[in-house]
């Protein structure tokens, strides 16, 4: 069967394509590795790009690889096909009986090293794609960033990278810049944090008042002549109007002339407050790539990668200890690794789980069980029933308020150690008798009222997950 044969030969085909196009390891991992043969229908080979992605990315992959894939398939199988690269959800539309189960590719280290010394760019040569560990949490961001690096200004423009602190936004921006210069040393890449940009604007304004000089002109020229402009942490612009205006004028100028812009922020474009809507819209016209918190496997991969790069060795239980306890910030993971390595060098000893526990005590504090307070219960109950705390505490006797009020009283007696008098006081009731009545009332109703039981179960879950 044609399809079977093609699937069998697929790895070989990708290998030849990689060689013939001189595709680097990172480019392979980003673009070719996720490609899987899906089906052959009416003389067309459908190839799935098994990633969370966008059609614009597919366009780029087709542009780079379609013709060569077609030719290699012909050489290997002797058959001439059309080639179509599709996203997983498009596969469902194809007239085929197959189901789609494609694995996420894993990251490989690359031998690529950066040699750029383009000082004016403000780039840190340490942050490259080869030192960036790819996991589920950052795959899309890494993919689009790499695409921008290979085709600046062409496809993902502007690229908006967002995510919490220490998750790799700055690393990816530098990686883009380093890669662009590696590809073409004449490209003018400019990386700046929003804070530095703001300081420059302030400096220009100050100087233009004191002496009649052209600081602002220089400033504008510098930014508006860039081929690639990257501004990090633009949440810093909120409330700084002159800088914001200056930035958007530059942004518009560059964007309309097809120059690449990369922006990072700790929030999604539509969540940033204090920016004009028309600017948010401009951001959203490009691609927004969110970096999420890495899962356990990715954290382990990052830790292993870092210790390997530092020629250190940690036993598996130490790696597991760090990965299990530091979850939401890679900068903190690095801090822990550095601390252990420093200790090991100083004491000339191997790292063990026992000294790791001791040394990381200040960084890792085990999750304390959450305390359930009447306040928390009241908040959750109010939210669940859609009433306000004032209504709950009031003397209002309408049925839709009495139910939540009694539930709150009942849960306070069941889920906290507070005395009935304390609960009464918190809910602005005379004494414990009101609380006891409410509690008994709910216990009675629970015997027959299944819906109430469901409500209470849901509320308990919400309380415990807070
Ligand atoms: P952000 O700008 O999002 O706050 P950074 O880019 O400064 O975060 O990353 C913090 C540290 O974690 C940096 O030293 C960076 O190299 C490292 N880091 C973040 N993500 C990764 C990753 N996926 N692989 C390897 N190192 C990473
Ligand atoms: Mg940063």
């Amino acid at each position: 069967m044609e399809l079977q044969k093609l699937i069998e030969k697929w790895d070989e085909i990708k290998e030849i394509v990689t060689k013939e196009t001189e595709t680097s390891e990172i480019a392979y991992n980003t673009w070719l590795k996720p490609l899987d043969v899906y089906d052959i229908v009416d003389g067309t080979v459908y190839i799935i790009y098994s990633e969370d992605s966008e059609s614009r990315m597919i366009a780029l992959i087709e542009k780079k690889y379609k013709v060569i894939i077609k030719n290699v398939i012909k050489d290997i199988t002797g058959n001439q096909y059309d080639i179509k690269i599709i996203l997983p959800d498009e596969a469902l539309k194809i007239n085929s009986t197959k189901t789609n189960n494609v694995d996420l590719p894993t990251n490989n280290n690359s031998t690529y090293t950066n040699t750029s010394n383009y000082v004016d760019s403000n780039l840190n040569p340490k942050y490259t794609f080869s030192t960036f560990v790819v996991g589920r949490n950052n795959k899309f961001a890494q993919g689009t960033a790499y695409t921008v690096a290979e085709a600046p200004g062409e496809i993902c423009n502007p690229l908006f990278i967002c995510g919490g602190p220490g998750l790799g936004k700055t690393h990816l921006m530098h990686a883009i810049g380093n890669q662009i210069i590696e590809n073409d040393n004449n490209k003018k890449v400019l990386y700046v944090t929003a804070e530095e940009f703001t300081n420059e604007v302030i400096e220009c304004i100050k100087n233009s008042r004191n002496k009649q000089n052209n600081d602002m002109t220089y400033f504008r020229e510098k930014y508006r002549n860039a081929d690639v402009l990257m501004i990090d942490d633009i949440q810093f612009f909120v409330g700084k109007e002159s800088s914001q205006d200056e930035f958007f004028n530059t942004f518009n100028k560059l964007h309309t002339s097809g120059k690449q812009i990369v922006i990072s922020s700790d929030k999604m474009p539509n969540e940033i407050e204090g920016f004009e809507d028309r600017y948010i819209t401009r951001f959203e016209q490009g691609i927004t790539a969110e970096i999420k918190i890495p899962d356990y496997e990715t954290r382990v991969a990052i830790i292993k990668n870092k210790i390997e790069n530092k020629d250190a060795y940690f036993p598996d239980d130490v790696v597991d200890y760090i990965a299990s306890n530091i979850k939401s910030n890679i900068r903190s993971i690095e801090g822990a690794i550095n601390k252990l390595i420093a200790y090991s060098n100083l004491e000339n000893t191997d790292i063990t789980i026992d000294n790791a526990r001791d040394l990381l005590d200040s960084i890792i504090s085990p999750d304390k069980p959450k305390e359930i307070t009447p306040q928390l219960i009241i908040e959750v109950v109010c939210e669940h029933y859609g009433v306000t705390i004032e209504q709950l505490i009031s003397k209002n006797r309408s049925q839709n308020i009495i139910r939540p009020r009694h539930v709150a009283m009942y849960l306070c007696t069941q889920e906290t150690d507070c005395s009935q008098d304390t609960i009464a006081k918190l809910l602005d009731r005379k004494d414990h008798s009101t609380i006891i009545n409410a509690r008994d009332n709910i216990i009675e109703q629970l015997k027959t009222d299944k819906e109430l039981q469901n409500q209470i179960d849901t509320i308990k879950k919400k309380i415990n997950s807070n």
Side-chain angles (χ1 to χ4, degrees):
M1 209 183 115
E2 288 168 68
L3 177 63
Q4 198 53 42
K5 188 168 152 201
L6 188 56
I7 291 172
E8 273 167 25
K9 299 275 182 191
W10 185 235
D11 283 342
E12 193 187 328
I13 291 168
K14 282 204 281 193
E15 205 172 296
I16 297 170
V17 170
T18 308
K19 285 212 183 94
E20 292 205 353
T21 50
E22 296 182 0
T23 290
S24 73
E25 197 168 347
I26 299 168
Y28 172 79
N29 284 330
T30 311
W31 291 326
L32 289 178
K33 199 170 171 194
L35 296 180
D36 284 303
V37 174
Y38 178 69
D39 206 352
I40 303 174
V41 181
D42 298 335
T44 299
V45 177
Y46 287 89
I47 299 169
I48 286 195
Y49 183 69
S50 58
E51 296 290 350
D52 232 6
S53 195
E54 286 235 5
S55 43
R56 279 178 276 199
M57 191 96 143
I58 301 295
L60 179 93
I61 299 170
E62 286 206 334
K63 192 168 140 196
K64 279 183 102 72
Y65 293 109
K66 190 170 159 166
V67 174
I68 176 96
I69 290 177
K70 188 173 170 163
N71 292 339
V72 175
I73 290 181
K74 184 163 176 244
D75 289 348
I76 297 279
T77 67
N79 294 329
Q80 175 107 32
Y81 297 105
D82 275 340
I83 305 292
K84 191 128 189 55
I85 300 177
I86 54 172
L87 289 167
D89 52 358
E90 291 169 316
L92 302 172
K93 292 182 218 141
I94 296 167
N95 192 8
S96 131
T97 50
K98 286 159 52 101
T99 50
N100 156 39
N101 58 354
V102 271
D103 290 334
L104 288 171
T106 50
N107 175 59
N108 279 325
N109 285 321
S110 154
T111 47
Y112 160 72
T113 51
N114 181 285
T115 50
S116 149
N117 53 2
Y118 189 63
V119 276
D120 295 338
S121 292
N122 301 329
L123 290 173
N124 181 343
K126 201 179 82 180
Y127 292 145
T128 63
F129 283 108
S130 62
T131 55
F132 191 84
V133 176
V134 185
R136 275 172 199 280
N137 65 311
N138 58 25
K139 208 167 233 315
F140 182 63
Q142 187 268 354
T144 47
Y146 192 71
T147 302
V148 163
E150 290 293 306
E154 281 180 38
I155 288 155
C156 315
N157 199 14
L159 172 62
F160 192 105
I161 305 173
C162 57
L167 293 182
K169 301 182 294 296
T170 299
H171 188 137
L172 267 188
M173 293 178 103
H174 285 273
I176 293 171
N178 284 320
Q179 180 80 26
I180 289 174
I181 289 168
E182 165 92 11
N183 290 347
D184 178 355
N185 203 21
N186 293 318
K187 278 267 191 292
K188 283 202 214 92
V189 177
L190 202 45
Y191 165 91
V192 69
T193 64
E195 185 172 4
E196 285 154 3
F197 188 92
T198 301
N199 290 341
E200 285 183 44
V201 172
I202 294 171
E203 201 55 32
C204 286
I205 295 172
K206 225 165 64 190
N207 289 347
S208 64
R209 284 203 192 120
N210 297 343
K211 353 166 201 134
Q212 303 284 305
N213 67 15
N214 293 328
D215 281 12
M216 207 57 166
T217 317
Y218 286 130
F219 172 85
R220 288 188 178 142
E221 236 156 57
K222 174 170 96 175
Y223 284 99
R224 292 174 195 186
N225 282 331
D227 293 311
V228 181
L229 176 63
M230 301 194 275
I231 308 227
D232 205 351
D233 288 322
I234 62 155
Q235 69 275 5
F236 190 84
F237 283 142
V238 173
K240 307 196 172 58
E241 264 136 50
S242 317
S243 307
Q244 225 182 82
D245 289 348
E246 200 54 49
F247 163 59
F248 281 112
N249 290 334
T250 308
F251 179 100
N252 286 333
K253 170 92 178 17
L254 290 174
H255 195 247
T256 43
S257 44
K259 301 299 169 70
Q260 179 70 46
I261 293 162
V262 183
I263 300 162
S264 89
S265 160
D266 62 351
K267 295 198 184 64
M268 302 280 277
N270 59 358
E271 290 171 349
I272 307 180
E273 282 166 33
F275 273 89
E276 282 182 40
D277 282 351
R278 60 195 173 111
Y279 295 143
I280 303 297
T281 315
R282 294 303 292 269
F283 293 155
E284 288 173 334
Q285 277 165 2
I287 288 199
T288 302
E290 188 185 6
I291 309 184
K292 304 202 180 81
I293 289 173
D295 57 21
Y296 175 81
E297 285 77 14
T298 309
R299 297 196 297 272
V300 168
I302 290 173
I303 295 165
K304 290 198 164 158
N305 178 282
K306 302 267 170 204
I307 51 188
E308 207 172 278
N309 286 342
K310 289 174 192 282
D311 281 330
Y313 170 78
F314 292 1
D316 283 347
D317 53 357
V318 172
V319 173
D320 171 72
Y321 182 67
I322 301 172
S324 307
N325 288 287
I326 310 180
K327 295 180 180 160
S328 57
N329 188 325
I330 296 165
R331 197 173 290 121
S332 311
I333 290 182
E334 284 184 334
I337 293 172
N338 291 339
K339 195 163 178 183
L340 296 186
I341 293 178
Y343 170 83
S344 154
N345 289 341
L346 202 67
E347 301 287 322
N348 198 14
T349 174
D350 288 339
I351 297 293
T352 65
I353 183 68
D354 289 330
N355 50 36
R357 276 181 209 278
D358 281 350
L359 288 161
L360 301 182
D361 192 42
S362 58
I363 303 177
I364 295 169
S365 45
D367 287 346
K368 287 197 203 85
K370 303 226 176 52
E371 204 195 346
I372 296 174
T373 59
Q375 285 84 350
L376 174 64
I377 292 175
I378 292 168
E379 271 170 36
V380 174
V381 169
C382 285
E383 190 209 272
H384 183 85
Y385 288 104
V387 300
T388 66
I389 295 180
E390 290 72 35
Q391 287 172 321
L392 193 93
I393 295 177
S394 73
K395 303 283 183 285
N396 185 331
R397 307 240 357 118
S398 59
Q399 203 49 44
N400 62 335
I401 310 267
I402 291 183
R403 166 62 69 92
R405 183 182 295 142
H406 284 180
V407 168
M409 291 174 177
Y410 163 80
L411 284 172
C412 285
T413 63
Q414 307 300 111
E415 305 288 313
T416 75
D417 294 329
C418 294
S419 72
Q420 286 149 2
D421 278 324
T422 312
I423 298 168
K425 216 180 258 159
L426 275 166
L427 287 159
D428 201 19
R429 290 302 183 274
K430 215 168 60 233
D431 60 26
H432 60 271
S433 63
T434 323
I435 307 298
I436 292 172
N437 285 339
R439 183 198 63 190
D440 293 348
N441 175 291
I442 294 288
I443 290 174
E444 196 54 35
Q445 286 185 54
L446 278 175
K447 286 180 187 157
T448 53
D449 192 339
K450 259 210 123 64
E451 203 196 320
L452 178 63
Q453 183 68 61
N454 287 340
Q455 290 170 2
I456 287 181
D457 289 345
T458 309
I459 293 167
K460 275 193 192 164
K461 270 197 208 122
K462 286 190 190 167
I463 290 170
N464 285 309
S465 69
N466 245 283

